[in-house]
């Protein structure tokens, strides 16, 4: 009969997210995670089987939260430009809330491990979910179908720009410049939808 876990799995996954986010997969060890959480290496192996399996569980948890962050930023009334500015502001605000300029675990992991099939699939499905959320909201605000090419393209561009904003913040671009790029992007995407 398997023993019950003597630790909170959610808390441990949150600690794993922090560790992998700050240092990357290769530079982070289960010894580091054990030290950070007080959970013995053996218990970590027993629960997940490997550092890789634990990483994938933490990465999925983080990515699920990114989708929620995007969806939460899309709520409310207004027009496409206002909604896109709201989204980009939420992304920049999230970046600015992290004084170590660590960027985004999704973007960082794709840079470090993007050729791995598991990582690529999680990244693809997360990006697709974020794009779908933006497309639904743009469709609602414009009266178009979420599947319309113009709406789908605008949503894809919005998510691509949000990831670029994260990178700009990470490399130390001044906040005012990052926000100006975001405002310009929102305006340009809204204009393209109006012209469609």
């Amino acid at each position: 009969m398997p023993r019950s876990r003597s630790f909170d799995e959610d808390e441990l996954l949150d600690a794993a997210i922090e560790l992998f986010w700050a240092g990357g997969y290769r530079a982070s060890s289960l010894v580091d995670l054990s030290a950070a959480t007080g959970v013995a290496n053996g218990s970590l192996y027993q629960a997940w089987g490997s550092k890789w399996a634990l990483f994938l569980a933490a990465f999925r948890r983080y990515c699920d939260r990114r989708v929620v962050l995007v969806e939460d930023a899309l709520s409310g009334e207004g027009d496409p430009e206002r909604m896109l500015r709201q989204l980009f502001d939420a992304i920049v605000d999230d970046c600015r809330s992290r004084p170590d300029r660590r960027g985004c675990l999704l973007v960082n992991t794709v840079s470090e491990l993007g050729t791995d099939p598991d990582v690529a699939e999680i990244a693809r499905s997360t990006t697709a979910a974020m794009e779908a959320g933006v497309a639904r909201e743009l469709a609602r605000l414009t009266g178009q179908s979420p599947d319309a090419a113009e709406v789908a393209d605008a949503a894809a561009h919005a998510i691509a720009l949000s990831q670029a904003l994260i990178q700009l913040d990470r490399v130390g671009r001044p906040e005012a410049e990052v926000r100006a790029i975001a405002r310009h992007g929102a305006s340009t995407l809204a204009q393209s939808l109006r012209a469609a």
Side-chain angles (χ1 to χ4, degrees):
M1 179 179 216
R3 292 184 348 199
S4 63
R5 295 182 183 174
S6 60
F7 58 86
D8 183 298
E9 183 173 327
D10 290 336
E11 287 180 9
L12 192 134
L13 286 174
D14 287 344
I17 287 170
E18 290 299 314
L19 182 71
F20 292 126
W21 194 358
Y25 175 76
R26 291 185 182 101
S28 303
S29 70
L30 286 182
V31 172
D32 297 329
L33 186 58
S34 178
T37 63
V39 177
N41 281 358
S43 295
L44 295 175
Y45 276 108
Q46 185 177 17
W48 281 280
S50 68
K51 173 184 159 184
W52 182 246
L54 173 56
F55 170 75
L56 289 177
F59 185 50
R60 281 188 191 95
R61 183 174 175 88
Y62 174 87
C63 288
D64 289 345
R65 289 178 175 170
R66 294 307 286 185
V67 173
V68 171
L69 181 137
V70 167
E71 289 175 350
D72 286 350
L74 301 175
S75 60
E77 295 305 315
D79 57 49
E81 183 173 350
R82 181 175 172 191
M83 184 273 289
L84 290 166
R85 285 182 70 167
Q86 193 171 296
L87 168 63
F88 298 148
D89 282 344
I91 296 296
V92 176
D93 290 346
D94 183 66
C95 289
R96 303 303 298 175
S97 72
R98 306 190 191 285
D100 55 358
R101 291 188 186 263
R102 68 173 72 170
C104 166
L105 182 59
L106 171 60
V107 175
N108 299 353
T109 299
V110 168
S111 294
E112 182 183 11
L113 304 167
T115 58
D116 176 83
D118 292 327
V119 168
E121 179 52 37
I122 294 167
R124 265 193 305 271
S125 64
T126 301
T127 302
M130 292 188 291
E131 289 176 4
V134 174
R136 279 192 305 274
E137 190 64 12
L138 288 173
R140 185 183 72 79
L141 293 171
T142 62
Q144 299 182 57
S145 166
D147 298 326
E150 299 83 10
V151 172
D153 288 348
H157 279 92
I159 294 305
L161 178 55
S162 72
Q163 293 173 342
L165 295 172
I166 293 165
Q167 291 296 77
L168 290 171
D169 180 77
R170 187 169 193 205
V171 299
R173 196 77 170 260
E175 180 180 358
E177 291 181 18
V178 175
R179 291 195 187 275
I181 292 166
R183 285 191 303 274
H184 179 73
S187 175
T188 301
L189 287 171
Q191 286 174 14
S192 73
L193 283 169
R194 285 193 293 269

